[in-house]
Amino acid sequence: YQVPGSLESVKRRADELNAHGKIAQRFGMKVLVHNHTVEFEKLTDSPRTAFDVLVEDTDPALVTMQLDLGWTYIAGVDPLALFKSHPGRFELWHVKDVFGLKTVSPSLGPNARVSSMALVPVGTGHIDFKPVFAQASLAGLKHFVIEQDNAAAWGDSLAAARVSYQNLAGMLTK
């Protein structure tokens, strides 16, 4: 995993995203920012995180946040708090489940938490997606995808996708 950058480097990235977003806007599109855990680490010279800077310093008309729920939870960040702090900014979600959230040491930083986790099919891990989807309107959700980075290592990618789909559909219809 990458190390966090400086405040100035992330501010430059936000400026670049806005500039690229202006170009994309001419074609009816937006630029997106996708997170892993490093975006939630403190910057090298600031108590802020790259995620803080990117969500606050990008223009919502030009740049949207593609929130990877799995990496967000792994980093120890509450997506519901993000939705409340930045309503409407999270148009895209990666729905990813994680095993290990209940036993990870809370003293570990976002990147250090990764080695204590396993990515698993949705519904077989520790994330309760019902309250997250209940706040979809506040978040600004337009589209989501189910994702399991290591589905092939789970044994069968198509079987993992089927389990994830069936479990998420079951959670959202109850």
Side-chain angles (χ1 to χ4, degrees):
Y1 286 88
Q2 299 172 323
V3 295
S6 68
L7 179 60
E8 187 55 38
S9 70
V10 180
K11 284 184 165 287
R12 277 195 311 273
R13 183 170 168 218
D15 290 343
E16 290 169 355
L17 289 165
N18 285 325
H20 295 151
K22 285 181 184 174
I23 296 167
Q25 188 178 50
R26 289 187 279 183
F27 299 94
M29 298 184 295
K30 287 185 178 183
V31 170
L32 66 86
V33 172
H34 177 87
N35 68 280
H36 292 95
T37 55
V38 71
E39 286 81 10
F40 297 109
E41 291 279 356
K42 301 289 183 216
L43 295 171
T44 56
D45 59 353
S46 169
R48 296 175 76 196
T49 68
F51 193 88
D52 295 334
V53 175
L54 293 174
V55 75
E56 293 165 12
D57 290 11
T58 55
D59 182 342
L62 306 173
V63 180
T64 193
M65 306 307 283
Q66 181 185 58
L67 191 67
D68 188 308
L69 294 166
W71 292 124
T72 301
Y73 276 105
I74 288 171
V77 175
D78 178 5
L80 301 176
L82 292 176
F83 300 162
K84 290 175 185 158
S85 297
H86 309 287
R89 288 305 307 271
F90 305 94
E91 297 176 28
L92 308 169
W93 294 356
H94 278 192
V95 179
K96 178 185 299 172
D97 210 345
V98 179
F99 186 85
L101 291 172
K102 293 181 179 179
T103 56
V104 67
S105 171
S107 66
L108 293 175
N111 285 346
R113 295 168 58 97
V114 173
S115 63
S116 302
M117 308 290 174
L119 302 175
V120 295
V122 172
T124 65
H126 291 147
I127 297 177
D128 182 0
F129 289 102
K130 278 191 90 132
V132 178
F133 274 89
Q135 297 300 317
S137 180
L138 176 65
L141 178 64
K142 292 184 179 179
H143 306 282
F144 70 89
V145 296
I146 293 172
E147 180 185 38
Q148 184 185 345
D149 299 39
N150 64 343
W154 190 71
D156 181 338
S157 296
L158 292 177
R162 186 178 310 107
V163 168
S164 290
Y165 170 79
Q166 290 171 341
N167 286 344
L168 185 61
M171 285 180 227
L172 298 181
T173 57
K174 288 180 184 175

